[in-house]
């Protein structure tokens, strides 16, 4: 089989695309640092899964590279001006936002959209997706979004009217309404809704062609290691350049770089690839052979704090943890100043960013004073204790194999020790850390990872009180810290409903003030993702937000072809 590979250093250095054989199959091999815990579109959200699914599916709506909302699986965004969106009174029994208003939104599915087994993508899939998404224990990640849709009317096989129980500023965006193949998944769901997450075909038969309707479909799965995608013959859009794409997972980033240099992979994805410090060093050595693209993003590295832990329930301890660490030094010394400190969960790149939020400069003396005030004022062998003789000890977890995370972890551990906090490190492979430890809130202290966000992304699933995952709700939601704040809940609701931009900005300002004051999460830095690309590969356009570059994989081309 003919393969498009990095072949030889001489060919690449000369700027010549590698030769292909007479058989005609072109393959692109991409290195990733994480493997998805599931391929189900609506369960266990992760960047790794988004990267894969972006090649095999298309969302109804999404924010593009210019951060503008567009249709992908739908044909046209509904709008009040065009009459395809209409404000309607809520029926009796539907509470909504409390103002008695909802909105009816008309969507049409792309006429050529077809699942990989030849079944048309239809409103039957819409109705099943809504049914599964609303089930309280099915395990869908954004349960709240599905519950807010109180009715769907089917117009025909491709057109439906979705009724939302509120009029929000982003009313046309249904990015999280990820269609599922009813002809495959509905019988499984109906047989045992409570156990659906353990029986879905996306995990039991992931190469079933009927699961995919994007440019590619999965044809081979080696759990934890490799995913192979081939062109989907039912894809209705522009034909992609590559016959096959292989996604190789190498969880140790130093080994990932070695795989690139040994030609086992052609490129390294910026969303889940080398850390910035590695990319900077790599560019100095091999910049003549590869294009290294740095994309400032809405993805921030942070530490979730387990607020069920009595130690962390004291706000003074949480604030002391931030004062005790030198985040600006980490940015300058490890990242050449390219990854600015995250003072809140809103990026300075976003128009709703509040410059005036409370900031926590490196101040060990202030950290010590807060810990003293919180009762951790007895020092024994360098570790603080309280009056009961209990040590100030916390467990700190992140993904094993990520060199930069483990390095940052060591720096933070050392700085916290200087103020008398005993940090115990326990890391796990990404598939365990994301699939179980975070998802089921099994961590006891600190959990470091990254969040991807869209423009003006309302933190409903991560900060709202009713979004705390638990067995009772099928582990739905992403409020892993267990943060509960009535004013924050009200702001999240109000932001979504406010159509006036200046008024909405004022609400955002207050939300960020609460976030900075309460510290449910320690923001570390806003990531600038480095994409390592062969010089012959063109068309890869990083978005800087939640949508991965692979969502436009059909635009990727080989120079000169």
């Amino acid at each position: 089989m003919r393969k498009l590979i990095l072949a030889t250093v001489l060919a690449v250095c000369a700027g010549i695309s590698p030769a292909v054989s007479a058989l005609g199959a072109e393959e692109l091999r991409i290195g990733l640092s994480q493997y998805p815990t599931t391929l189900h579109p609506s369960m266990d959200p992760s960047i790794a899964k988004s990267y894969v699914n972006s090649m095999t599916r298309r969302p109804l709506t999404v924010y593009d590279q210019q951060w503008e909302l567009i249709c992908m699986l739908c044909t046209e965004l509904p709008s009040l001006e065009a009459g395809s969106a209409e404000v309607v009174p809520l029926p009796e029994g539907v509470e909504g936002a409390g103002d008695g208003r909802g909105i009816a939104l008309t969507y049409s599915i792309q006429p050529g959209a077809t699942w990989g087994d030849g079944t048309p993508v239809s409103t039957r899939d819409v109705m099943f997706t809504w049914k599964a998404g609303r089930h309280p224990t099915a395990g869908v990640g954004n349960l709240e979004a599905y519950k807010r849709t109180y009715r769907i009317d089917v117009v025909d096989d491709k057109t439906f009217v979705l009724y939302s129980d509120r009029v929000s500023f982003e009313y046309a965006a249904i990015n999280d309404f990820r269609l599922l193949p009813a002809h495959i998944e509905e019988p499984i769901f109906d047989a045992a809704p409570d156990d659906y997450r353990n029986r879905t075909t996306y995990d039991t038969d992931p190469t079933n062609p009927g699961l995919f309707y994007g440019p590619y479909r999965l044809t081979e799965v080696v759990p934890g290691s490799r995913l192979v995608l081939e062109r989907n013959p039912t894809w209705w859009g522009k034909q992609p350049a590559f016959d096959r794409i292989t996604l190789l997972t190498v969880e140790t980033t130093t080994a990932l770089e070695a795989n690139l240099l040994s030609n086992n992979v052609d490129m390294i994805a910026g969303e889940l690839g080398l850390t910035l410090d590695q990319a900077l060093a790599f560019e100095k050595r091999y910049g003549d052979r590869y294009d290294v693209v740095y994309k400032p993003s809405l993805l921030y590295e942070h530490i979730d704090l387990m607020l069920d832990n009595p130690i962390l329930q004291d706000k003074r301890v949480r604030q002391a943890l931030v004062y005790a660490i030198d985040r600006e030094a980490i940015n300058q010394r490890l990242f050449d100043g390219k990854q600015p400190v995250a003072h809140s969960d809103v990026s300075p790149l976003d128009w709703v960013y509040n410059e005036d939020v409370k900031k926590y400069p490196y101040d060990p003396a202030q950290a010590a004073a807060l810990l003293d005030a919180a009762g951790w004022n007895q020092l024994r062998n360098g570790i603080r204790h309280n009056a009961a003789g209990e040590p100030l000890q916390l467990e700190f977890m992140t993904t094993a194999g990520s060199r930069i995370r483990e390095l940052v972890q060591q720096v933070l551990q050392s700085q916290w020790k200087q103020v008398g906090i005993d940090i115990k490190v326990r890391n796990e492979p990404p598939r365990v850390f994301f699939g179980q430890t975070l998802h089921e809130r099994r961590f006891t202290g600190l959990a470091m990872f990254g969040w991807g966000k869209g423009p003006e992304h309302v933190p409903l699933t991560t900060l709202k009180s009713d979004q705390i995952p638990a067995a009772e709700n099928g582990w739905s939601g992403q409020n892993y810290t267990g943060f509960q704040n009535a004013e924050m809940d009200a702001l999240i609701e109000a932001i979504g409903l406010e159509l006036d931009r200046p008024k909405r900005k004022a609400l955002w300002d207050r939300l960020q003030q609460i976030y900075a004051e309460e510290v449910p999460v320690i923001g570390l830095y806003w990531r600038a993702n480095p994409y390592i690309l062969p010089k012959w590969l063109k068309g890869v356009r990083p978005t800087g937000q939640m949508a991965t570059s692979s969502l436009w994989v059909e635009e990727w081309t080989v120079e000169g072809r």
Side-chain angles (χ1 to χ4, degrees):
M1 179 175 287
R2 182 176 68 167
K3 289 186 178 181
L4 182 57
I5 59 174
L6 263 177
T8 66
V9 171
L10 288 176
V12 175
C13 289
I16 301 172
S17 297
V20 290
S21 73
L23 294 179
E26 294 182 346
E27 179 179 17
L28 178 68
R29 296 174 297 177
I30 304 173
L32 301 171
S33 61
Q34 291 177 18
Y35 187 90
T37 57
T38 178
L39 292 170
H40 192 288
S42 298
M43 295 179 182
D44 297 356
S46 70
I47 298 172
K49 184 181 71 174
S50 294
Y51 195 86
V52 178
N53 284 352
S54 291
M55 298 183 180
T56 62
R57 306 172 48 82
R58 285 293 176 266
L60 282 157
T61 63
V62 73
Y63 288 99
D64 66 9
Q65 296 98 331
Q66 289 76 43
W67 298 6
E68 296 291 335
L69 187 68
I70 63 169
C71 265
M72 290 198 102
L73 183 58
C74 58
T75 58
E76 184 179 3
L77 290 174
S79 74
L80 293 167
E81 296 77 13
S84 49
E86 180 184 1
V87 176
V88 296
L90 291 178
E92 186 177 350
V94 177
E95 180 178 355
D99 61 358
R101 300 191 310 158
I103 192 166
L105 305 163
T106 300
Y107 296 91
S108 291
I109 299 168
Q110 292 282 353
T114 305
W115 297 99
D117 60 2
T119 303
V121 178
S122 72
T123 47
R124 178 188 174 192
D125 303 313
V126 172
M127 298 305 290
F128 165 62
T129 300
W130 181 48
K131 177 173 72 172
R134 288 169 58 87
H135 194 280
T137 60
V140 170
N142 195 351
L143 175 64
E144 183 70 17
Y146 289 101
K147 289 169 64 177
R148 288 181 175 181
T149 299
Y150 67 87
R151 171 179 153 196
I152 295 180
D153 289 345
V154 171
V155 177
D156 55 38
D157 286 347
K158 291 288 186 177
T159 303
F160 62 98
V161 182
L162 182 150
Y163 291 82
S164 175
D165 68 0
R166 64 203 63 210
V167 183
S168 74
F169 74 90
E170 51 179 1
Y171 62 82
I174 52 172
N175 303 13
D176 285 344
F177 200 103
R178 301 180 176 98
L179 293 194
L180 303 172
H183 64 293
I184 294 175
E185 291 288 274
E186 190 164 24
I188 298 170
F189 175 86
D190 288 344
D194 292 344
D195 198 37
Y196 174 54
R197 66 175 298 110
N198 298 315
R199 302 172 66 246
T200 172
T201 312
Y202 284 97
D203 291 336
T204 62
D205 185 18
T207 59
N208 187 321
L211 299 176
F212 314 107
Y213 56 83
Y216 289 92
R217 61 184 179 90
L218 273 174
T219 58
E220 181 184 349
V221 174
V222 181
S225 175
R226 185 173 72 251
L227 297 164
V228 178
L229 301 90
E230 296 182 0
R231 283 182 178 176
N232 182 3
T234 67
W235 166 242
W236 72 90
K238 178 181 178 181
Q239 289 303 304
F242 301 98
D243 298 302
R244 173 182 294 181
I245 293 179
T246 297
L247 303 172
L248 181 67
T249 299
V250 183
E251 293 182 344
T252 304
T253 51
T254 50
L256 184 58
E257 178 180 335
N259 271 266
L260 178 66
L261 294 174
S262 64
N263 301 331
N264 282 336
V265 297
D266 301 317
M267 62 172 279
I268 296 178
E271 291 85 353
L272 285 169
L274 299 189
T275 55
L276 185 63
D277 64 317
Q278 286 178 291
L280 291 167
F282 182 91
E283 185 177 25
K284 291 177 181 177
R285 298 194 304 269
Y286 306 109
D288 59 332
R289 290 161 50 181
Y290 297 90
D291 288 330
V292 182
V293 179
Y294 300 95
K295 181 66 176 180
S297 73
L298 300 182
L299 194 156
Y300 78 124
E301 194 76 6
H302 70 287
I303 300 172
D304 268 13
L305 305 179
M306 174 51 73
L307 301 184
D308 294 353
N309 186 324
I311 294 174
L312 294 171
Q313 288 174 357
D314 191 322
K315 182 174 68 175
R316 294 169 295 187
V317 173
R318 303 196 298 270
Q319 292 180 341
L321 285 168
V322 194
Y323 276 122
I325 59 178
D326 194 344
R327 296 174 292 172
E328 184 56 40
I330 290 173
N331 174 37
Q332 296 297 331
R333 295 173 188 173
L334 296 184
F335 307 127
D336 200 27
K338 294 182 183 293
Q339 299 199 137
V341 173
H343 295 293
S344 81
D345 69 331
V346 176
S347 166
L349 299 174
D350 204 319
W351 79 273
V352 295
Y353 176 67
N354 182 4
E355 177 64 40
D356 298 324
V357 296
K358 179 175 182 176
K359 297 179 175 63
Y360 295 83
Y362 180 50
D363 191 343
Q366 178 65 13
L370 285 166
L371 293 174
D372 285 342
W376 301 98
N377 52 14
Q378 299 182 20
L379 204 62
R380 303 177 189 175
N381 298 320
I383 301 301
R384 290 176 177 270
H385 290 67
N386 61 15
E390 299 167 325
L392 181 49
Q393 184 180 95
L394 295 166
E395 185 178 73
F396 189 6
M397 302 184 69
T398 191
T399 53
S402 172
R403 191 180 70 87
I404 193 60
R405 276 188 177 146
E406 292 177 338
L407 177 58
V408 169
Q409 188 180 49
Q410 291 170 16
V411 171
L412 299 182
Q413 181 185 35
S414 175
Q415 292 179 342
W416 280 322
K417 185 176 181 180
Q418 291 174 21
V419 296
I421 303 173
D422 186 21
I423 297 293
K424 301 297 184 183
V425 169
R426 184 172 70 87
N427 296 335
E428 293 178 332
R431 60 187 178 276
V432 178
F433 180 75
F434 290 113
Q436 296 178 352
T437 301
L438 276 181
H439 180 65
E440 298 181 2
R441 305 185 68 231
R442 296 185 184 184
F443 66 102
T444 62
L446 289 66
M448 179 167 61
F449 60 104
W451 268 133
K453 302 162 91 47
E456 197 176 352
H457 180 76
V458 181
L460 185 149
T461 64
T462 55
L463 291 178
K464 202 159 179 284
S465 299
D466 59 4
Q467 297 297 305
I468 300 172
E472 293 74 24
N473 64 14
W475 305 106
S476 296
Q478 297 166 297
N479 186 349
Y480 302 135
T481 67
F483 181 62
Q484 299 183 64
N485 182 286
E487 186 181 1
M488 178 69 80
D489 290 347
L491 284 165
I492 289 171
E493 290 287 345
I495 286 171
L497 298 172
E498 184 55 69
L499 304 184
D500 182 87
R501 278 172 67 96
K503 292 180 180 178
R504 196 161 74 246
K505 177 63 166 64
L507 296 172
W508 271 109
D509 286 349
R510 179 58 186 150
L511 182 148
Q512 293 168 76
Q513 289 169 357
I514 296 173
Y515 187 89
E517 174 66 26
E518 295 297 324
V519 198
V521 169
I522 298 175
L524 294 176
Y525 47 83
W526 292 99
R527 282 168 40 176
N529 291 331
Y531 293 73
I532 316 296
L533 309 173
K535 289 187 176 294
W536 46 260
L537 181 62
K538 305 301 177 183
V540 179
R541 297 176 60 197
T543 70
Q545 40 98 351
M546 189 181 297
T548 64
S549 57
S550 54
L551 193 55
W552 291 269
V553 66
E554 67 269 30
E555 303 295 335
W556 299 3
T557 60
V558 180
E559 187 175 41
R561 298 205 181 111

